[in-house]
Amino acid sequence: MASKIIGCAQNTLSKLIALQKPVVYNTKVAVEVAKQVYVKEGMSFPTGAQFSQAQQTLQNALKINNLKNLTFADAAKTGVVLAEIYTFFLIGEIVGRRNLIGYNVKSEESHH
C-alpha cells in the first residue's frame, strides 16, 4: 500500500516538474507583454491626490442634496447604463458557462 502511494506521489511530482518550465516561460512572456502595453499606453499608477479626488467626487455624488436635484432624464440615463452593465454581466455568464441556461451538473446516478 505504501509503495502504491509513493509511486503515485512520484508520478504526480514528475508531472508537476514537467509543467514547471512552460508555466514559468508563459508567465515571463505575459509579464513582458504587460510591461510593453504599460509603457506604450503611457499608463501610470494613480497618485494619492487622484485617489482622494475620486473619493471626494463619489461622496459628493451620493449626497442627498444632489439626489433632490435629479431629473427624470438623468435617472433614465442611469437606468439605461445599469441595464447595459447587467446585460454584459449576463452575456459573460452565458459565455463562461458555454450554455444558455444553467450549468451542466452531473446527477448522482451518473457518478456511479
Side-chain angles (χ1 to χ4, degrees):
M1 180 70 175
S3 63
K4 197 178 214 183
I5 293 173
I6 292 173
C8 182
Q10 288 175 340
N11 186 19
T12 304
L13 187 60
S14 66
K15 288 180 182 178
L16 288 175
I17 289 172
L19 285 175
Q20 180 183 7
K21 286 184 181 180
V23 167
V24 169
Y25 173 77
N26 288 331
T27 303
K28 287 181 179 180
V29 169
V31 167
E32 289 302 317
V33 169
K35 284 180 187 177
Q36 290 175 6
V37 169
Y38 185 82
V39 170
K40 180 83 173 170
E41 294 295 324
M43 300 171 91
S44 64
F45 288 104
T47 62
Q50 289 173 323
F51 272 119
S52 61
Q53 181 185 7
Q55 181 183 14
Q56 191 67 23
T57 302
L58 183 62
Q59 287 175 348
N60 289 340
L62 295 177
K63 286 186 179 177
I64 299 297
N65 292 337
N66 291 340
L67 294 177
K68 288 179 183 177
N69 298 331
L70 188 66
T71 63
F72 179 76
D74 291 338
K77 288 177 188 176
T78 303
V80 168
V81 169
L82 291 175
E84 287 177 355
I85 292 170
Y86 184 63
T87 302
F88 283 122
F89 169 76
L90 291 179
I91 291 171
E93 282 286 309
I94 292 169
V95 169
R97 288 190 305 252
R98 294 185 175 97
N99 196 0
L100 186 60
I101 300 172
Y103 290 92
N104 293 326
V105 179
K106 297 193 181 345
S107 65
E108 283 286 323
E109 292 89 32
S110 66
H111 289 292
H112 298 289

